[in-house]
């Protein structure tokens, strides 16, 4: 028996604000969290912009944590407050699922730099480079002793993590899970994307004719998932229903997407099949939308191939124009935009889309937020290596 799965808690720490309601309000106002790069010293790089989270770092309730752990914990606590419980669940029936990109790389960089400079960082410092650090911190905070998973499929990681949490709850293995992602800036990824010439020295312009690449960003988005019947029984507010997900591999190139979006199309179709959606059911696609020349055209082709004629009436939006590319957390950030659109009937805008690319011919919600009926949404996340993920969400309508 497959159980229906609800999102009952949402937490978001972003470059726009430090909680979900404030972030959503600023998204609808057209706010942009991208600004001058101040957290890294990268004087040789042409791009000097990033979407930085302005939250003080330091011990978390007396415990030493990395900045990534810190923002992830702040987002989890907000999600737990909004979900109002539940109480009394067995710890072994609760799990933690996280997507990781840079993860502990900033800690590894600091440790290595200290050693090379002749300093002797503490022996335990290197532990914080582990990709599982954030997942473990969230599991401890939740008191979860059930399955934990840290997914590292680059930019599709956190969407895959949400999909894994959905599977465990839908199958009856778990009664509650935290799922999402947290990402912070680090020199290695900044230099890497720059060396690929994938970063725009100016503000990124997804789906524009003159788009020139992405801006990097940081943030943490966390969701509480639980069985729908359990949530209804305790009177929880249903934020959205998770209906399934799709995952595929391009088997094409290490960094470039398939030009016609074949693997991405497969992920979208798998998600819709899993959810029981027809193309006409989908009102919103929260796009990967990186603003790189290769991604945006191939994603457009994938949406058209998956939705057919229904693509013409679908709203599309790119959160990258507001938060930059948060890498391993970007799928969860896209899911946040979709969940809030399902709840409010408002679609956040794709900023700076003033000169559309003729090859990108969908409705990308340019410049301004828009009100519309949003019954169901797809969330895309496509990653290096051709790792594609698509999450299917539905508005809760009381039955």
């Amino acid at each position: 028996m497959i159980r229906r799965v609800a999102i009952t808690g949402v937490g978001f720490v972003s470059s726009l604000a430090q909680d979900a309601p404030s972030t959503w309000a600023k998204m609808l106002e057209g706010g942009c969290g991208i600004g001058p790069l101040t957290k890294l010293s990268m004087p040789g790089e042409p791009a000097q912009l990033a979407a930085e989270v302005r939250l003080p770092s330091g011990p978390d309730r007396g415990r030493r944590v990395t900045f990534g752990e810190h923002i992830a914990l702040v987002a989890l606590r907000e999600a737990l407050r909004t979900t109002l419980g539940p109480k009394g669940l067995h710890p072994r029936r609760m799990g933690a699922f996280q997507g990781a990109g840079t993860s502990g790389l900033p800690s590894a960089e600091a440790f290595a730099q200290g050693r090379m400079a002749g300093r002797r960082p503490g022996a335990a410092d290197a532990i914080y480079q582990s990709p599982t650090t954030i997942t473990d911190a969230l599991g401890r905070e939740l008191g979860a002793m059930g399955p934990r998973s840290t997914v590292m499929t680059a930019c599709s990681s956190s969407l895959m993590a949400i999909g894994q949490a959905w599977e465990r709850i839908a199958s009856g293995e778990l009664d509650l899970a935290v799922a999402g992602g947290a990402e912070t800036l680090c020199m290695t990824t900044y230099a890497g994307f720059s060396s690929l010439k994938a970063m725009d020295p100016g503000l990124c312009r997804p789906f524009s004719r003159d788009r020139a690449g992405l801006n990097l960003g940081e943030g943490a988005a966390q969701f509480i998932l639980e069985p729908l019947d359990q949530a209804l029984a305790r009177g929880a507010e249903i934020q959205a229903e998770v209906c399934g997900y799709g995952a595929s591999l391009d088997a094409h190139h290490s960094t470039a997407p398939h030009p016609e979006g074949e693997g991405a199309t497969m992920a979208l179709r798998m998600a819709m099949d899993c959810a029981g959606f027809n193309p006409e059911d989908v009102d919103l696609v929260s796009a990967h939308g990186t603003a790189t020349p290769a991604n945006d055209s191939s994603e457009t082709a994938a949406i058209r191939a998956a939705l057919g004629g229904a693509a013409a009436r679908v709203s599309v939006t790119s959160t990258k124009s507001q938060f930059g590319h948060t890498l391993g957390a970007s799928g969860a950030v896209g899911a946040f935009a979709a969940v809030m659109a399902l709840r409010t009937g408002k679609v956040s805008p794709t900023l700076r889309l003033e000169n559309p690319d003729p090859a990108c011919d969908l409705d990308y919600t340019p410049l301004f937020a828009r009100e519309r009926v949003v019954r169901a949404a797809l969330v895309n996340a496509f990653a290096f290596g051709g790792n594609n993920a698509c999450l299917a969400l539905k508005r809760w309508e009381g039955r």
Side-chain angles (χ1 to χ4, degrees):
M1 178 180 176
I2 300 296
R3 298 193 295 181
R4 294 173 69 181
V5 178
I7 292 175
T8 57
V10 177
F12 192 15
V13 176
S14 77
S15 53
L16 281 175
Q18 296 172 9
D19 61 71
S22 301
T23 295
W24 180 240
K26 291 189 177 183
M27 289 174 71
L28 296 181
E29 292 169 358
C32 178
I34 305 166
L37 176 69
T38 65
K39 291 191 173 183
L40 303 176
S41 177
M42 309 290 288
E45 302 297 348
Q48 294 293 320
L49 293 174
E52 300 179 346
V53 171
R54 302 298 177 187
L55 191 68
S57 59
D60 183 277
R61 298 181 175 176
R63 181 179 177 274
R64 177 183 171 181
V65 293
T66 65
F67 189 59
E69 286 176 275
H70 182 47
I71 60 176
L73 286 165
V74 171
L76 170 60
R77 288 166 188 153
E78 182 188 10
L80 289 172
R81 286 194 302 273
T82 60
T83 199
L84 301 176
K87 308 294 184 186
L89 296 180
H90 196 289
R92 295 193 182 281
R93 292 189 61 81
M94 297 191 293
F97 300 81
Q98 288 295 293
T102 61
S103 188
L105 265 179
S107 298
E109 290 172 346
F111 181 80
Q113 287 172 335
R115 297 284 295 185
M116 288 187 289
R119 298 189 294 271
R120 289 293 177 265
D125 289 8
I127 292 174
Y128 291 90
Q129 61 79 33
S130 169
T132 67
T133 301
I134 293 173
T135 314
D136 294 344
L138 296 182
R140 281 193 300 272
E141 179 77 11
L142 191 61
M145 299 176 67
R148 298 182 190 183
S149 177
T150 304
V151 182
M152 296 192 75
T153 53
C155 304
S156 61
S157 299
S158 55
L159 210 57
M160 291 289 294
I162 297 171
Q164 288 188 356
W166 169 80
E167 282 182 328
R168 298 290 185 122
I169 294 173
S171 69
E173 184 178 353
L174 292 178
D175 294 327
L176 186 127
V178 56
E183 196 73 277
T184 59
L185 295 170
C186 82
M187 292 188 294
T188 302
T189 50
Y190 203 95
F193 277 93
S194 184
S195 69
L196 289 170
K197 302 188 186 305
M199 294 175 65
D200 191 334
L203 294 170
C204 66
R205 291 151 288 166
F207 304 108
S208 295
R209 186 197 299 262
D210 56 352
R211 64 188 182 276
L214 53 84
N215 309 122
L216 288 175
E218 53 187 6
Q222 302 294 337
F223 303 94
I224 300 297
L225 279 66
E226 62 180 301
L228 178 63
D229 56 357
Q230 172 182 291
L232 293 175
R234 66 184 185 82
E237 182 181 357
I238 311 300
Q239 311 277 339
E241 185 174 352
V242 183
C243 301
Y245 79 111
S248 68
L249 184 65
D250 278 355
H252 169 68
H253 192 273
S254 59
T255 57
H258 189 283
E260 297 174 3
E262 287 186 1
T265 302
M266 189 183 305
L268 269 72
R269 286 174 174 163
M270 290 171 67
M272 288 194 295
D273 288 346
C274 189
F277 290 172
N278 294 312
E280 294 76 17
D281 298 329
V282 179
D283 293 316
L284 170 67
V285 176
S286 183
H288 192 52
T290 59
T292 58
N295 174 86
D296 291 3
S297 55
S298 67
E299 182 168 17
T300 298
I303 294 170
R304 282 206 169 278
L307 298 183
R313 46 160 296 281
V314 167
S315 291
V316 181
T317 186
S318 168
T319 58
K320 307 292 190 300
S321 66
Q322 300 191 291
F323 303 108
H325 195 338
T326 52
L327 303 179
S330 64
V333 171
F336 172 80
V339 168
M340 297 306 290
L342 290 164
R343 284 186 57 195
T344 64
K346 297 176 182 177
V347 179
S348 56
T350 300
L351 303 182
R352 298 178 289 281
L353 182 49
E354 297 173 337
N355 183 19
D357 183 348
C360 301
D361 56 355
L362 299 173
D363 178 2
Y364 303 100
T365 324
L367 306 179
F368 302 104
R370 189 182 308 163
E371 293 191 20
R372 66 161 294 168
V373 174
V374 185
R375 301 162 299 162
L378 299 176
V379 185
N380 290 341
F382 308 136
F384 282 170
N387 290 288
N388 307 300
C390 179
L391 185 72
L393 301 170
K394 187 168 72 174
R395 183 177 65 187
W396 173 242
E397 296 182 326
R399 59 186 175 84

